[in-house]
Amino acid sequence: MKKYLDKSVYEATNERIKYIFDNFDNIYVSFSGGKDSGLLLNLVLDYKRRNNIKRKIGVFHQDFEAQYKQTTEFVTRMFENNLEDIDPYWVCLPMGSRCAVSNYQMYWYTWDPDEKDKWVREMPNMPYIINLNNNPFDFYKYKMVQEDLYADFADWFSRQHKGKSICLLGIRADESLNRFRAYANARKDLIDNKQWTTKMGKNWYNAYPLYDWTTKDVWIANGKYGFDYNKIYDLFYKAGLSIHQMRVASPFHEAAKEGLNLYRVLEPDTWVRIVGRVQGANFGAMYGNTKLLGSRRITLPKGHTWRSYVKFLLATLPDEMRKNYIEKFKTSIKFWWRKGGVVDEKAIQELEACNYNIRRNGPSPYHSVKEQVRFLGTPDSTDDIKSTIDIPSWKRMAVCILKNDHLCKHMGFAQTKKQSEREKELLNKYRNL
């Protein structure tokens, strides 16, 4: 287990948990059923019992309906075995979840009552399950996006309790760049200058007590302290996956589509239900780890430029999906043409040496050592630029389409208010199909 100068990550995390119990009135753990959130919940419960803390902690679980049986069994054990110590929030409400295996479904809807005959499994029936029949959330909108439900729950939780509230998340900085940013963001508001916290609202915070753990640390802790965990990881291991390849997520999400085929191998009964649940699931299982869905190195088809290939791909899409991509591509082209993106000096010199048609547009207002650069025309590909990937090209657009990346995150997009409204229009349209 990784060590600091005088303590292990286990010891450091227990100090963080102590700080949380000492300084917050209301605590809940966001629990997905994966290895990281499972370890975090075990650590918090273990600390609570060792220190004879009587007040309960909340446990929030978004149930995505389509998941491994082993995940459901683990979540059930963690709730049922700890009811004396937790306030359970097991959410089985219809919600929109991104679908990265199909160009015909931008979202699929968990626990959709109109498709009950297609549900991957029966809804759990414990008395604390939250569904349409007993929904206590004043913020809930029918088939709202899962990310919105997640964020709004935190605000709702803080409003239901007096004092300061905090959500604990099992995010580790070494798992992805986005998760590292959640921890390392220098502009976020902290509590007591603790980098592993983030102020989210008037009286509530997020915390990442496991931010400095490695994957190896997680499994060492589970073994050393005898913590329960999701036994699907044992099957992953038997299937030949390394500990760094094992993921538990919604099978249709972009983060999990490469492992979609594992359902067919590890849980064939679940797989049969998944194939009928979302259009494109079988295709995603066969090709989710190939160039067809942008997972491996993409090569340009013979006779095409990247620009002509993008046009070809757009022509194969349904109207609404095509309009969605075109709008974002136009926004990107206009941005780089008129204003310019932020690029460091090394990358600018490399672009100039390779004779890209660029113009310097003055220093960045946010980065004192970087400059804004305009592109007078979108390059077909920028594979010969090694110092940065954050520059425009037709190839990047093609990758977005091949990955079913409807938000174009691969191109650095974040949602604007206008795009959010557009997304809601698309949601309403696809909801009724």
PDB file of all heavy atoms in Angstrom, residues 108-139:
ATOM      1  N   TRP A 108     -31.115   6.042 -23.217  1.00  0.00           N
ATOM      2  CA  TRP A 108     -32.068   4.988 -22.890  1.00  0.00           C
ATOM      3  C   TRP A 108     -32.575   5.296 -21.493  1.00  0.00           C
ATOM      4  O   TRP A 108     -31.917   6.010 -20.722  1.00  0.00           O
ATOM      5  CB  TRP A 108     -31.431   3.596 -22.997  1.00  0.00           C
ATOM      6  CG  TRP A 108     -30.478   3.242 -21.908  1.00  0.00           C
ATOM      7  CD1 TRP A 108     -29.210   3.700 -21.739  1.00  0.00           C
ATOM      8  CD2 TRP A 108     -30.725   2.352 -20.815  1.00  0.00           C
ATOM      9  NE1 TRP A 108     -28.640   3.154 -20.617  1.00  0.00           N
ATOM     10  CE2 TRP A 108     -29.537   2.320 -20.032  1.00  0.00           C
ATOM     11  CE3 TRP A 108     -31.820   1.577 -20.433  1.00  0.00           C
ATOM     12  CZ2 TRP A 108     -29.437   1.550 -18.874  1.00  0.00           C
ATOM     13  CZ3 TRP A 108     -31.704   0.796 -19.289  1.00  0.00           C
ATOM     14  CH2 TRP A 108     -30.524   0.790 -18.532  1.00  0.00           C
ATOM     15  N   TYR A 109     -33.734   4.774 -21.127  1.00  0.00           N
ATOM     16  CA  TYR A 109     -34.395   5.189 -19.892  1.00  0.00           C
ATOM     17  C   TYR A 109     -34.540   4.009 -18.929  1.00  0.00           C
ATOM     18  O   TYR A 109     -35.249   3.043 -19.220  1.00  0.00           O
ATOM     19  CB  TYR A 109     -35.749   5.833 -20.205  1.00  0.00           C
ATOM     20  CG  TYR A 109     -35.576   7.076 -21.030  1.00  0.00           C
ATOM     21  CD1 TYR A 109     -35.668   7.027 -22.408  1.00  0.00           C
ATOM     22  CD2 TYR A 109     -35.232   8.276 -20.422  1.00  0.00           C
ATOM     23  CE1 TYR A 109     -35.459   8.151 -23.173  1.00  0.00           C
ATOM     24  CE2 TYR A 109     -35.014   9.408 -21.177  1.00  0.00           C
ATOM     25  CZ  TYR A 109     -35.120   9.347 -22.552  1.00  0.00           C
ATOM     26  OH  TYR A 109     -34.894  10.461 -23.307  1.00  0.00           O
ATOM     27  N   THR A 110     -33.822   4.104 -17.836  1.00  0.00           N
ATOM     28  CA  THR A 110     -33.882   3.061 -16.824  1.00  0.00           C
ATOM     29  C   THR A 110     -35.271   3.006 -16.207  1.00  0.00           C
ATOM     30  O   THR A 110     -35.920   4.034 -16.014  1.00  0.00           O
ATOM     31  CB  THR A 110     -32.852   3.327 -15.718  1.00  0.00           C
ATOM     32  OG1 THR A 110     -33.227   4.517 -14.998  1.00  0.00           O
ATOM     33  CG2 THR A 110     -31.466   3.535 -16.293  1.00  0.00           C
ATOM     34  N   TRP A 111     -35.727   1.803 -15.900  1.00  0.00           N
ATOM     35  CA  TRP A 111     -37.002   1.572 -15.222  1.00  0.00           C
ATOM     36  C   TRP A 111     -38.176   2.287 -15.907  1.00  0.00           C
ATOM     37  O   TRP A 111     -39.085   2.787 -15.252  1.00  0.00           O
ATOM     38  CB  TRP A 111     -36.912   1.981 -13.754  1.00  0.00           C
ATOM     39  CG  TRP A 111     -35.795   1.321 -13.023  1.00  0.00           C
ATOM     40  CD1 TRP A 111     -34.704   1.921 -12.482  1.00  0.00           C
ATOM     41  CD2 TRP A 111     -35.653  -0.083 -12.742  1.00  0.00           C
ATOM     42  NE1 TRP A 111     -33.864   0.993 -11.891  1.00  0.00           N
ATOM     43  CE2 TRP A 111     -34.438  -0.258 -12.028  1.00  0.00           C
ATOM     44  CE3 TRP A 111     -36.430  -1.214 -13.008  1.00  0.00           C
ATOM     45  CZ2 TRP A 111     -33.989  -1.498 -11.603  1.00  0.00           C
ATOM     46  CZ3 TRP A 111     -35.984  -2.454 -12.585  1.00  0.00           C
ATOM     47  CH2 TRP A 111     -34.780  -2.586 -11.885  1.00  0.00           C
ATOM     48  N   ASP A 112     -38.124   2.360 -17.231  1.00  0.00           N
ATOM     49  CA  ASP A 112     -39.187   3.001 -18.010  1.00  0.00           C
ATOM     50  C   ASP A 112     -40.465   2.169 -17.876  1.00  0.00           C
ATOM     51  O   ASP A 112     -40.514   1.013 -18.318  1.00  0.00           O
ATOM     52  CB  ASP A 112     -38.752   3.070 -19.472  1.00  0.00           C
ATOM     53  CG  ASP A 112     -39.740   3.837 -20.342  1.00  0.00           C
ATOM     54  OD1 ASP A 112     -40.865   4.095 -19.873  1.00  0.00           O
ATOM     55  OD2 ASP A 112     -39.381   4.171 -21.486  1.00  0.00           O
ATOM     56  N   PRO A 113     -41.519   2.713 -17.269  1.00  0.00           N
ATOM     57  CA  PRO A 113     -42.742   1.919 -17.079  1.00  0.00           C
ATOM     58  C   PRO A 113     -43.391   1.510 -18.390  1.00  0.00           C
ATOM     59  O   PRO A 113     -44.126   0.520 -18.435  1.00  0.00           O
ATOM     60  CB  PRO A 113     -43.648   2.860 -16.272  1.00  0.00           C
ATOM     61  CG  PRO A 113     -43.124   4.231 -16.533  1.00  0.00           C
ATOM     62  CD  PRO A 113     -41.642   4.076 -16.718  1.00  0.00           C
ATOM     63  N   ASP A 114     -43.130   2.247 -19.466  1.00  0.00           N
ATOM     64  CA  ASP A 114     -43.698   1.907 -20.768  1.00  0.00           C
ATOM     65  C   ASP A 114     -42.991   0.719 -21.414  1.00  0.00           C
ATOM     66  O   ASP A 114     -43.470   0.179 -22.413  1.00  0.00           O
ATOM     67  CB  ASP A 114     -43.628   3.108 -21.720  1.00  0.00           C
ATOM     68  CG  ASP A 114     -44.440   4.289 -21.218  1.00  0.00           C
ATOM     69  OD1 ASP A 114     -45.477   4.039 -20.560  1.00  0.00           O
ATOM     70  OD2 ASP A 114     -44.041   5.438 -21.452  1.00  0.00           O
ATOM     71  N   GLU A 115     -41.832   0.334 -20.867  1.00  0.00           N
ATOM     72  CA  GLU A 115     -41.078  -0.801 -21.411  1.00  0.00           C
ATOM     73  C   GLU A 115     -40.804  -1.838 -20.325  1.00  0.00           C
ATOM     74  O   GLU A 115     -39.768  -2.496 -20.318  1.00  0.00           O
ATOM     75  CB  GLU A 115     -39.767  -0.319 -22.035  1.00  0.00           C
ATOM     76  CG  GLU A 115     -39.972   0.603 -23.221  1.00  0.00           C
ATOM     77  CD  GLU A 115     -38.701   0.805 -24.033  1.00  0.00           C
ATOM     78  OE1 GLU A 115     -37.619   0.404 -23.559  1.00  0.00           O
ATOM     79  OE2 GLU A 115     -38.794   1.359 -25.131  1.00  0.00           O
ATOM     80  N   LYS A 116     -41.748  -1.990 -19.431  1.00  0.00           N
ATOM     81  CA  LYS A 116     -41.561  -2.900 -18.307  1.00  0.00           C
ATOM     82  C   LYS A 116     -41.299  -4.328 -18.774  1.00  0.00           C
ATOM     83  O   LYS A 116     -40.556  -5.081 -18.137  1.00  0.00           O
ATOM     84  CB  LYS A 116     -42.791  -2.868 -17.394  1.00  0.00           C
ATOM     85  CG  LYS A 116     -42.609  -3.619 -16.088  1.00  0.00           C
ATOM     86  CD  LYS A 116     -43.787  -3.421 -15.152  1.00  0.00           C
ATOM     87  CE  LYS A 116     -43.559  -4.171 -13.838  1.00  0.00           C
ATOM     88  NZ  LYS A 116     -44.678  -3.962 -12.885  1.00  0.00           N
ATOM     89  N   ASP A 117     -41.885  -4.716 -19.900  1.00  0.00           N
ATOM     90  CA  ASP A 117     -41.683  -6.072 -20.409  1.00  0.00           C
ATOM     91  C   ASP A 117     -40.259  -6.301 -20.899  1.00  0.00           C
ATOM     92  O   ASP A 117     -39.829  -7.446 -21.081  1.00  0.00           O
ATOM     93  CB  ASP A 117     -42.660  -6.368 -21.544  1.00  0.00           C
ATOM     94  CG  ASP A 117     -42.514  -5.384 -22.710  1.00  0.00           C
ATOM     95  OD1 ASP A 117     -42.254  -4.186 -22.449  1.00  0.00           O
ATOM     96  OD2 ASP A 117     -42.639  -5.811 -23.860  1.00  0.00           O
ATOM     97  N   LYS A 118     -39.492  -5.213 -21.091  1.00  0.00           N
ATOM     98  CA  LYS A 118     -38.103  -5.317 -21.557  1.00  0.00           C
ATOM     99  C   LYS A 118     -37.073  -5.110 -20.448  1.00  0.00           C
ATOM    100  O   LYS A 118     -35.874  -5.191 -20.700  1.00  0.00           O
ATOM    101  CB  LYS A 118     -37.838  -4.282 -22.660  1.00  0.00           C
ATOM    102  CG  LYS A 118     -38.643  -4.493 -23.929  1.00  0.00           C
ATOM    103  CD  LYS A 118     -38.278  -3.434 -24.962  1.00  0.00           C
ATOM    104  CE  LYS A 118     -39.086  -3.611 -26.233  1.00  0.00           C
ATOM    105  NZ  LYS A 118     -38.752  -2.552 -27.238  1.00  0.00           N
ATOM    106  N   TRP A 119     -37.528  -4.834 -19.243  1.00  0.00           N
ATOM    107  CA  TRP A 119     -36.580  -4.591 -18.160  1.00  0.00           C
ATOM    108  C   TRP A 119     -35.584  -5.747 -18.060  1.00  0.00           C
ATOM    109  O   TRP A 119     -35.951  -6.918 -18.178  1.00  0.00           O
ATOM    110  CB  TRP A 119     -37.313  -4.450 -16.827  1.00  0.00           C
ATOM    111  CG  TRP A 119     -38.022  -3.133 -16.656  1.00  0.00           C
ATOM    112  CD1 TRP A 119     -38.066  -2.094 -17.540  1.00  0.00           C
ATOM    113  CD2 TRP A 119     -38.812  -2.742 -15.530  1.00  0.00           C
ATOM    114  NE1 TRP A 119     -38.831  -1.068 -17.033  1.00  0.00           N
ATOM    115  CE2 TRP A 119     -39.300  -1.436 -15.799  1.00  0.00           C
ATOM    116  CE3 TRP A 119     -39.156  -3.359 -14.332  1.00  0.00           C
ATOM    117  CZ2 TRP A 119     -40.106  -0.746 -14.903  1.00  0.00           C
ATOM    118  CZ3 TRP A 119     -39.956  -2.683 -13.433  1.00  0.00           C
ATOM    119  CH2 TRP A 119     -40.420  -1.382 -13.722  1.00  0.00           C
ATOM    120  N   VAL A 120     -34.333  -5.386 -17.805  1.00  0.00           N
ATOM    121  CA  VAL A 120     -33.286  -6.398 -17.699  1.00  0.00           C
ATOM    122  C   VAL A 120     -33.487  -7.275 -16.467  1.00  0.00           C
ATOM    123  O   VAL A 120     -33.147  -8.457 -16.470  1.00  0.00           O
ATOM    124  CB  VAL A 120     -31.902  -5.723 -17.674  1.00  0.00           C
ATOM    125  CG1 VAL A 120     -30.792  -6.741 -17.425  1.00  0.00           C
ATOM    126  CG2 VAL A 120     -31.649  -4.987 -18.995  1.00  0.00           C
ATOM    127  N   ARG A 121     -34.060  -6.715 -15.427  1.00  0.00           N
ATOM    128  CA  ARG A 121     -34.338  -7.498 -14.216  1.00  0.00           C
ATOM    129  C   ARG A 121     -35.544  -6.890 -13.508  1.00  0.00           C
ATOM    130  O   ARG A 121     -35.962  -5.763 -13.835  1.00  0.00           O
ATOM    131  CB  ARG A 121     -33.130  -7.526 -13.281  1.00  0.00           C
ATOM    132  CG  ARG A 121     -32.752  -6.202 -12.679  1.00  0.00           C
ATOM    133  CD  ARG A 121     -31.466  -6.325 -11.860  1.00  0.00           C
ATOM    134  NE  ARG A 121     -31.489  -5.551 -10.643  1.00  0.00           N
ATOM    135  CZ  ARG A 121     -31.225  -4.250 -10.571  1.00  0.00           C
ATOM    136  NH1 ARG A 121     -30.900  -3.574 -11.648  1.00  0.00           N
ATOM    137  NH2 ARG A 121     -31.275  -3.628  -9.402  1.00  0.00           N
ATOM    138  N   GLU A 122     -36.107  -7.610 -12.571  1.00  0.00           N
ATOM    139  CA  GLU A 122     -37.213  -7.102 -11.788  1.00  0.00           C
ATOM    140  C   GLU A 122     -36.723  -6.000 -10.848  1.00  0.00           C
ATOM    141  O   GLU A 122     -35.591  -6.038 -10.359  1.00  0.00           O
ATOM    142  CB  GLU A 122     -37.844  -8.226 -10.961  1.00  0.00           C
ATOM    143  CG  GLU A 122     -38.557  -9.287 -11.781  1.00  0.00           C
ATOM    144  CD  GLU A 122     -39.775  -8.736 -12.488  1.00  0.00           C
ATOM    145  OE1 GLU A 122     -40.495  -7.920 -11.870  1.00  0.00           O
ATOM    146  OE2 GLU A 122     -40.012  -9.112 -13.652  1.00  0.00           O
ATOM    147  N   MET A 123     -37.592  -5.035 -10.594  1.00  0.00           N
ATOM    148  CA  MET A 123     -37.224  -3.980  -9.655  1.00  0.00           C
ATOM    149  C   MET A 123     -37.104  -4.563  -8.242  1.00  0.00           C
ATOM    150  O   MET A 123     -37.927  -5.372  -7.832  1.00  0.00           O
ATOM    151  CB  MET A 123     -38.269  -2.863  -9.673  1.00  0.00           C
ATOM    152  CG  MET A 123     -37.916  -1.683  -8.766  1.00  0.00           C
ATOM    153  SD  MET A 123     -39.155  -0.370  -8.809  1.00  0.00           S
ATOM    154  CE  MET A 123     -38.947   0.245 -10.489  1.00  0.00           C
ATOM    155  N   PRO A 124     -36.074  -4.162  -7.482  1.00  0.00           N
ATOM    156  CA  PRO A 124     -35.962  -4.621  -6.093  1.00  0.00           C
ATOM    157  C   PRO A 124     -37.216  -4.225  -5.304  1.00  0.00           C
ATOM    158  O   PRO A 124     -37.862  -3.215  -5.606  1.00  0.00           O
ATOM    159  CB  PRO A 124     -34.721  -3.889  -5.566  1.00  0.00           C
ATOM    160  CG  PRO A 124     -33.959  -3.502  -6.787  1.00  0.00           C
ATOM    161  CD  PRO A 124     -34.963  -3.283  -7.871  1.00  0.00           C
ATOM    162  N   ASN A 125     -37.566  -5.008  -4.286  1.00  0.00           N
ATOM    163  CA  ASN A 125     -38.823  -4.757  -3.575  1.00  0.00           C
ATOM    164  C   ASN A 125     -38.640  -4.466  -2.090  1.00  0.00           C
ATOM    165  O   ASN A 125     -39.588  -4.571  -1.314  1.00  0.00           O
ATOM    166  CB  ASN A 125     -39.774  -5.944  -3.762  1.00  0.00           C
ATOM    167  CG  ASN A 125     -39.189  -7.249  -3.219  1.00  0.00           C
ATOM    168  OD1 ASN A 125     -38.117  -7.255  -2.632  1.00  0.00           O
ATOM    169  ND2 ASN A 125     -39.904  -8.346  -3.423  1.00  0.00           N
ATOM    170  N   MET A 126     -37.419  -4.099  -1.675  1.00  0.00           N
ATOM    171  CA  MET A 126     -37.231  -3.733  -0.273  1.00  0.00           C
ATOM    172  C   MET A 126     -38.021  -2.457   0.035  1.00  0.00           C
ATOM    173  O   MET A 126     -38.252  -1.641  -0.856  1.00  0.00           O
ATOM    174  CB  MET A 126     -35.748  -3.534   0.036  1.00  0.00           C
ATOM    175  CG  MET A 126     -34.949  -4.841   0.050  1.00  0.00           C
ATOM    176  SD  MET A 126     -34.562  -5.431  -1.615  1.00  0.00           S
ATOM    177  CE  MET A 126     -33.096  -4.460  -1.990  1.00  0.00           C
ATOM    178  N   PRO A 127     -38.421  -2.265   1.283  1.00  0.00           N
ATOM    179  CA  PRO A 127     -39.290  -1.124   1.614  1.00  0.00           C
ATOM    180  C   PRO A 127     -38.638   0.239   1.390  1.00  0.00           C
ATOM    181  O   PRO A 127     -39.357   1.239   1.274  1.00  0.00           O
ATOM    182  CB  PRO A 127     -39.614  -1.342   3.098  1.00  0.00           C
ATOM    183  CG  PRO A 127     -38.584  -2.292   3.605  1.00  0.00           C
ATOM    184  CD  PRO A 127     -38.207  -3.152   2.449  1.00  0.00           C
ATOM    185  N   TYR A 128     -37.325   0.282   1.328  1.00  0.00           N
ATOM    186  CA  TYR A 128     -36.645   1.575   1.167  1.00  0.00           C
ATOM    187  C   TYR A 128     -36.331   1.909  -0.297  1.00  0.00           C
ATOM    188  O   TYR A 128     -35.709   2.939  -0.577  1.00  0.00           O
ATOM    189  CB  TYR A 128     -35.343   1.611   1.980  1.00  0.00           C
ATOM    190  CG  TYR A 128     -34.455   0.398   1.800  1.00  0.00           C
ATOM    191  CD1 TYR A 128     -33.622   0.263   0.697  1.00  0.00           C
ATOM    192  CD2 TYR A 128     -34.451  -0.614   2.754  1.00  0.00           C
ATOM    193  CE1 TYR A 128     -32.815  -0.850   0.541  1.00  0.00           C
ATOM    194  CE2 TYR A 128     -33.650  -1.739   2.614  1.00  0.00           C
ATOM    195  CZ  TYR A 128     -32.829  -1.850   1.502  1.00  0.00           C
ATOM    196  OH  TYR A 128     -32.034  -2.957   1.348  1.00  0.00           O
ATOM    197  N   ILE A 129     -36.735   1.050  -1.238  1.00  0.00           N
ATOM    198  CA  ILE A 129     -36.521   1.354  -2.656  1.00  0.00           C
ATOM    199  C   ILE A 129     -37.345   2.576  -3.044  1.00  0.00           C
ATOM    200  O   ILE A 129     -38.536   2.675  -2.727  1.00  0.00           O
ATOM    201  CB  ILE A 129     -36.909   0.153  -3.538  1.00  0.00           C
ATOM    202  CG1 ILE A 129     -36.039  -1.053  -3.217  1.00  0.00           C
ATOM    203  CG2 ILE A 129     -36.811   0.512  -5.018  1.00  0.00           C
ATOM    204  CD1 ILE A 129     -34.571  -0.863  -3.489  1.00  0.00           C
ATOM    205  N   ILE A 130     -36.721   3.529  -3.738  1.00  0.00           N
ATOM    206  CA  ILE A 130     -37.410   4.741  -4.182  1.00  0.00           C
ATOM    207  C   ILE A 130     -37.783   4.581  -5.648  1.00  0.00           C
ATOM    208  O   ILE A 130     -36.920   4.430  -6.519  1.00  0.00           O
ATOM    209  CB  ILE A 130     -36.509   5.976  -3.981  1.00  0.00           C
ATOM    210  CG1 ILE A 130     -36.222   6.189  -2.492  1.00  0.00           C
ATOM    211  CG2 ILE A 130     -37.152   7.221  -4.596  1.00  0.00           C
ATOM    212  CD1 ILE A 130     -35.193   7.269  -2.211  1.00  0.00           C
ATOM    213  N   ASN A 131     -39.091   4.589  -5.930  1.00  0.00           N
ATOM    214  CA  ASN A 131     -39.577   4.469  -7.301  1.00  0.00           C
ATOM    215  C   ASN A 131     -40.728   5.453  -7.519  1.00  0.00           C
ATOM    216  O   ASN A 131     -40.980   6.323  -6.676  1.00  0.00           O
ATOM    217  CB  ASN A 131     -39.990   3.031  -7.607  1.00  0.00           C
ATOM    218  CG  ASN A 131     -40.995   2.485  -6.601  1.00  0.00           C
ATOM    219  OD1 ASN A 131     -41.875   3.214  -6.133  1.00  0.00           O
ATOM    220  ND2 ASN A 131     -40.872   1.204  -6.259  1.00  0.00           N
ATOM    221  N   LEU A 132     -41.414   5.326  -8.634  1.00  0.00           N
ATOM    222  CA  LEU A 132     -42.478   6.280  -8.958  1.00  0.00           C
ATOM    223  C   LEU A 132     -43.634   6.232  -7.961  1.00  0.00           C
ATOM    224  O   LEU A 132     -44.359   7.211  -7.806  1.00  0.00           O
ATOM    225  CB  LEU A 132     -43.009   6.007 -10.375  1.00  0.00           C
ATOM    226  CG  LEU A 132     -42.094   6.405 -11.537  1.00  0.00           C
ATOM    227  CD1 LEU A 132     -42.699   5.950 -12.857  1.00  0.00           C
ATOM    228  CD2 LEU A 132     -41.837   7.907 -11.554  1.00  0.00           C
ATOM    229  N   ASN A 133     -43.792   5.120  -7.277  1.00  0.00           N
ATOM    230  CA  ASN A 133     -44.907   4.976  -6.345  1.00  0.00           C
ATOM    231  C   ASN A 133     -44.679   5.658  -5.000  1.00  0.00           C
ATOM    232  O   ASN A 133     -45.633   5.956  -4.284  1.00  0.00           O
ATOM    233  CB  ASN A 133     -45.201   3.490  -6.109  1.00  0.00           C
ATOM    234  CG  ASN A 133     -45.673   2.792  -7.364  1.00  0.00           C
ATOM    235  OD1 ASN A 133     -46.377   3.387  -8.182  1.00  0.00           O
ATOM    236  ND2 ASN A 133     -45.277   1.541  -7.543  1.00  0.00           N
ATOM    237  N   ASN A 134     -43.420   5.904  -4.639  1.00  0.00           N
ATOM    238  CA  ASN A 134     -43.156   6.500  -3.319  1.00  0.00           C
ATOM    239  C   ASN A 134     -42.091   7.587  -3.382  1.00  0.00           C
ATOM    240  O   ASN A 134     -41.421   7.865  -2.385  1.00  0.00           O
ATOM    241  CB  ASN A 134     -42.723   5.406  -2.327  1.00  0.00           C
ATOM    242  CG  ASN A 134     -41.401   4.754  -2.731  1.00  0.00           C
ATOM    243  OD1 ASN A 134     -40.844   5.061  -3.788  1.00  0.00           O
ATOM    244  ND2 ASN A 134     -40.901   3.860  -1.907  1.00  0.00           N
ATOM    245  N   ASN A 135     -41.932   8.202  -4.546  1.00  0.00           N
ATOM    246  CA  ASN A 135     -40.861   9.178  -4.768  1.00  0.00           C
ATOM    247  C   ASN A 135     -40.979  10.377  -3.828  1.00  0.00           C
ATOM    248  O   ASN A 135     -41.971  11.113  -3.869  1.00  0.00           O
ATOM    249  CB  ASN A 135     -40.913   9.644  -6.229  1.00  0.00           C
ATOM    250  CG  ASN A 135     -39.987  10.811  -6.488  1.00  0.00           C
ATOM    251  OD1 ASN A 135     -38.903  10.888  -5.931  1.00  0.00           O
ATOM    252  ND2 ASN A 135     -40.426  11.722  -7.343  1.00  0.00           N
ATOM    253  N   PRO A 136     -39.951  10.639  -3.000  1.00  0.00           N
ATOM    254  CA  PRO A 136     -40.003  11.768  -2.071  1.00  0.00           C
ATOM    255  C   PRO A 136     -39.332  13.038  -2.606  1.00  0.00           C
ATOM    256  O   PRO A 136     -39.320  14.061  -1.919  1.00  0.00           O
ATOM    257  CB  PRO A 136     -39.211  11.237  -0.868  1.00  0.00           C
ATOM    258  CG  PRO A 136     -38.149  10.392  -1.496  1.00  0.00           C
ATOM    259  CD  PRO A 136     -38.774   9.784  -2.730  1.00  0.00           C
ATOM    260  N   PHE A 137     -38.754  12.975  -3.812  1.00  0.00           N
ATOM    261  CA  PHE A 137     -37.917  14.069  -4.303  1.00  0.00           C
ATOM    262  C   PHE A 137     -38.766  15.148  -4.977  1.00  0.00           C
ATOM    263  O   PHE A 137     -39.410  14.899  -6.003  1.00  0.00           O
ATOM    264  CB  PHE A 137     -36.878  13.552  -5.294  1.00  0.00           C
ATOM    265  CG  PHE A 137     -35.991  12.462  -4.756  1.00  0.00           C
ATOM    266  CD1 PHE A 137     -35.588  11.416  -5.569  1.00  0.00           C
ATOM    267  CD2 PHE A 137     -35.555  12.503  -3.445  1.00  0.00           C
ATOM    268  CE1 PHE A 137     -34.766  10.416  -5.077  1.00  0.00           C
ATOM    269  CE2 PHE A 137     -34.721  11.506  -2.942  1.00  0.00           C
ATOM    270  CZ  PHE A 137     -34.333  10.454  -3.761  1.00  0.00           C
ATOM    271  N   ASP A 138     -38.739  16.357  -4.427  1.00  0.00           N
ATOM    272  CA  ASP A 138     -39.505  17.453  -5.012  1.00  0.00           C
ATOM    273  C   ASP A 138     -38.874  17.972  -6.303  1.00  0.00           C
ATOM    274  O   ASP A 138     -39.524  18.689  -7.070  1.00  0.00           O
ATOM    275  CB  ASP A 138     -39.663  18.592  -4.001  1.00  0.00           C
ATOM    276  CG  ASP A 138     -38.333  19.098  -3.447  1.00  0.00           C
ATOM    277  OD1 ASP A 138     -37.270  18.750  -4.010  1.00  0.00           O
ATOM    278  OD2 ASP A 138     -38.345  19.833  -2.438  1.00  0.00           O
ATOM    279  N   PHE A 139     -37.626  17.616  -6.557  1.00  0.00           N
ATOM    280  CA  PHE A 139     -36.920  18.100  -7.747  1.00  0.00           C
ATOM    281  C   PHE A 139     -37.108  17.176  -8.949  1.00  0.00           C
ATOM    282  O   PHE A 139     -36.785  17.555 -10.080  1.00  0.00           O
ATOM    283  CB  PHE A 139     -35.418  18.214  -7.457  1.00  0.00           C
ATOM    284  CG  PHE A 139     -34.770  16.894  -7.126  1.00  0.00           C
ATOM    285  CD1 PHE A 139     -34.343  16.026  -8.124  1.00  0.00           C
ATOM    286  CD2 PHE A 139     -34.577  16.523  -5.800  1.00  0.00           C
ATOM    287  CE1 PHE A 139     -33.753  14.818  -7.815  1.00  0.00           C
ATOM    288  CE2 PHE A 139     -33.990  15.304  -5.482  1.00  0.00           C
ATOM    289  CZ  PHE A 139     -33.581  14.448  -6.499  1.00  0.00           C
TER     290      PHE A 139
END
